[in-house]
Amino acid sequence: MIKLAVEIDKKRTTIQFDDQGAIAIYRELKKIPVLTEDELLLYFKGREAQAIDYGQKIDKKVLKEADSLVTISVPWDIEGQILAQQMLNVWQDNALKTSGLFESQKIAANYFPVVENYQRELFEILATFGYENEKVKAKPAKAQHRWNKQVSEIPFYIDYNDSKGEVTWQKRNGFEGWCETETGNAVEQGRLDRIQCATNGKITCGSCG
C-alpha cells in the first residue's frame, strides 16, 4: 500500500508519498515552473507520456506540444537518470512512442531490482491520477444496424437456396435489385421488388417467391 498526501489547486497538484519523493502535476503551462534541483521531467499529451528528461532545464519546445508537465523529485538513493531510463524502457516496451531527452543509460544488473521497484510505484501513482503507462487500444466501432446514405451505396449479394441476387438498401424500409433462380435446367431472372428475411434465415423476393 502506498500512502499519499495530496494538495490540489487550480494550477498544480502536489503529491507526497511516504518519504520516497514528491510529484507535481502542472496542467497550466503558460508560466513555466522554476526548478531549483534536478528532477524527473515528464511531458504528457493527453494521458500518454511524449517525452522524459532528468535535470533542472525544461525544454520549451517539447513543453509547447504537451498539455501537462509532471516533475518528480526522487530520494537520494535513486539515481535520477537511471530511473528515467527504466521508465522510458517500460513505456517503449508497452508500445508508447515516448522519447528520451537525456543520454542513454545502462542499468547495472545489481541495481535493476531497486530502480524497477521504484518505477512500478511511480507508474501506479501516475495511473491513479489518470496517466497511462501502456498504449491505449482504440475501441472497435459499433456495428450499425440502421440505414444511412453510405449504406445505400453498398451492394449486397444473395446466394441462398438456389437463388442468387444483388440488392441495394436504397430506403429505410425498401430494397431494390435483381434476382435469379434455377428451376430444373432453366434460369429465371426477375427484378427484386421486395426482400424479406424470415426467422429461419430463408430469403425470398417478389420475383422468385
Side-chain angles (χ1 to χ4, degrees), residues 122-136:
L122 286 181
F123 275 20
E124 187 173 345
I125 295 171
L126 289 172
T128 300
F129 285 85
Y131 294 109
E132 297 290 344
N133 298 309
E134 59 185 16
K135 189 68 176 176
V136 180

Side-chain angles (χ1 to χ4, degrees), residues 74-111:
V74 299
W76 64 270
D77 58 334
I78 298 292
E79 296 184 37
Q81 285 197 350
I82 298 297
L83 175 60
Q85 184 67 61
Q86 170 63 15
M87 294 173 71
L88 179 63
N89 292 346
V90 176
W91 276 328
Q92 291 180 345
D93 287 345
N94 290 345
L96 292 180
K97 296 180 180 180
T98 311
S99 59
L101 306 181
F102 55 91
E103 186 176 346
S104 180
Q105 304 289 311
K106 185 176 181 180
I107 304 176
N110 62 336
Y111 187 63

